[in-house]
Structure formats: structure tokens, C-alpha cells
């Protein structure tokens, strides 16, 4: 479903699949897909769910995406500012979520605050 409805016509380039990423002295993870989606450098994440989620329920997915994007930008000198969440439920109903540049900046700010709070907790407790 995701391939037919989201990738076949929108995925312009694949840079990596299951790509390990890290932000120096901060965080690491593995993104599902990175490349050019709908003509924009992007982090693309696949999600399955028993039932489709509303946008306001997936803040953590966007935070994860900006964490990966910022790590990719540092590691590979890219300028990713787009996060794409491709979700399908058990009934094979598909939904795509993306964020704007302003949202990317907003979620990056939230992510950085979470990292600072985590660092303080770990290093000062």
C-alpha cells in the first residue's frame, strides 16, 4: 500500500534504507528511508497502526524525524528539512503526514530542549 500510494510516484531518489545515523555526543538511531521525496530532501518513516492516527497524536514521530534529519545533515552535509510519515492501518488504509519548514524548526527546538533536559538529568542526578 505504501509503495503504490506514496513511493512509486513521489520518491525521486533513495540515499539510504535502514540508515544508521548519529548526532555527535548526542543521539543515534536508524531511519527507515532517506532521500528525495516529492522533490525535497527528506527523512521518510513508515508506521503501521491498528487504526490511523490523527496528526495531533504523532508529535513523537515528528520529533524522531527531525532528530534523524539533523543527524543526517551533520553526517553527510545535507540540508534535510522535510519529514514524511507514511502510515497504514490494519484495514490497509493509508495516510501521509508531512511537516512545513516552520514546523521543522519548531520540532527541532523541542527536540533540542528534550536533549538538554535529558543531559541535565543524567549528568546532575
Amino acid at each position: 500500500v505504501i509503495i503504490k500510494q506514496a513511493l512509486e510516484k513521489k520518491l525521486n531518489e533513495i540515499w539510504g534504507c535502514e540508515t544508521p545515523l548519529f548526532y555527535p555526543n548526542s543521539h543515534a538511531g536508524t531511519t527507515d528511508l532517506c532521500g528525495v521525496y516529492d522533490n525535497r530532501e527528506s527523512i521518510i518513516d513508515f508506521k503501521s497502526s491498528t487504526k490511523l492516527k490523527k496528526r495531533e497524536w504523532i508529535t513523537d514521530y515528528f520529533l524522531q524525524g527531525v532528530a534523524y534529519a539533523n543527524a543526517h545533515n551533520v553526517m553527510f552535509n545535507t540540508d534535510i528539512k522535510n519529514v514524511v510519515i507514511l502510515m497504514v492501518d490494519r484495514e490497509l488504509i493509508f495516510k501521509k503526514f508531512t511537516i512545513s519548514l516552520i514546523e521543522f524548526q519548531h520540532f527541532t527546538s523541542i527536540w533540542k530542549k528534550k536533549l538538554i533536559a535529558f543531559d541535565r538529568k543524567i549528568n546532575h542526578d
Side-chain angles (χ1 to χ4, degrees), residues 7-122:
L7 297 179
E8 278 186 353
K9 293 181 177 134
K10 297 284 186 177
L11 188 61
N12 309 104
E13 292 179 24
I14 297 173
W15 296 343
C17 186
E18 293 295 323
T19 305
L21 299 169
F22 68 93
Y23 195 96
N25 303 313
S26 178
H27 60 277
T30 303
T31 185
D32 290 337
L33 184 62
C34 52
V36 179
Y37 184 88
D38 203 14
N39 300 312
R40 296 180 64 198
E41 295 181 352
S42 302
I43 293 295
I44 303 140
D45 204 16
F46 308 125
K47 300 292 184 187
S48 60
S49 181
T50 53
K51 164 174 139 170
L52 288 182
K53 296 180 175 17
K54 294 181 180 180
R55 184 180 183 83
E56 58 266 22
W57 299 347
I58 63 167
T59 298
D60 285 347
Y61 296 165
F62 294 135
L63 291 171
Q64 178 186 36
V66 299
Y68 290 157
N70 285 296
H72 195 284
N73 291 341
V74 168
M75 289 178 67
F76 299 105
N77 196 31
T78 50
D79 191 28
I80 297 173
K81 292 188 173 102
N82 191 43
V83 175
V84 180
I85 308 297
L86 304 173
M87 185 180 295
V88 67
D89 72 6
R90 289 189 180 168
E91 303 298 319
L92 300 179
I93 298 170
F94 166 77
K95 191 163 186 179
K96 175 179 76 173
F97 301 92
T98 60
I99 59 174
S100 67
L101 177 57
I102 291 170
E103 289 173 310
F104 184 89
Q105 293 165 339
H106 171 72
F107 286 119
T108 295
S109 176
I110 291 171
W111 178 250
K112 287 179 180 178
K113 288 175 185 172
K114 285 181 176 280
L115 289 175
I116 291 166
F118 180 76
D119 183 63
R120 284 187 184 142
K121 181 175 174 48
I122 295 300

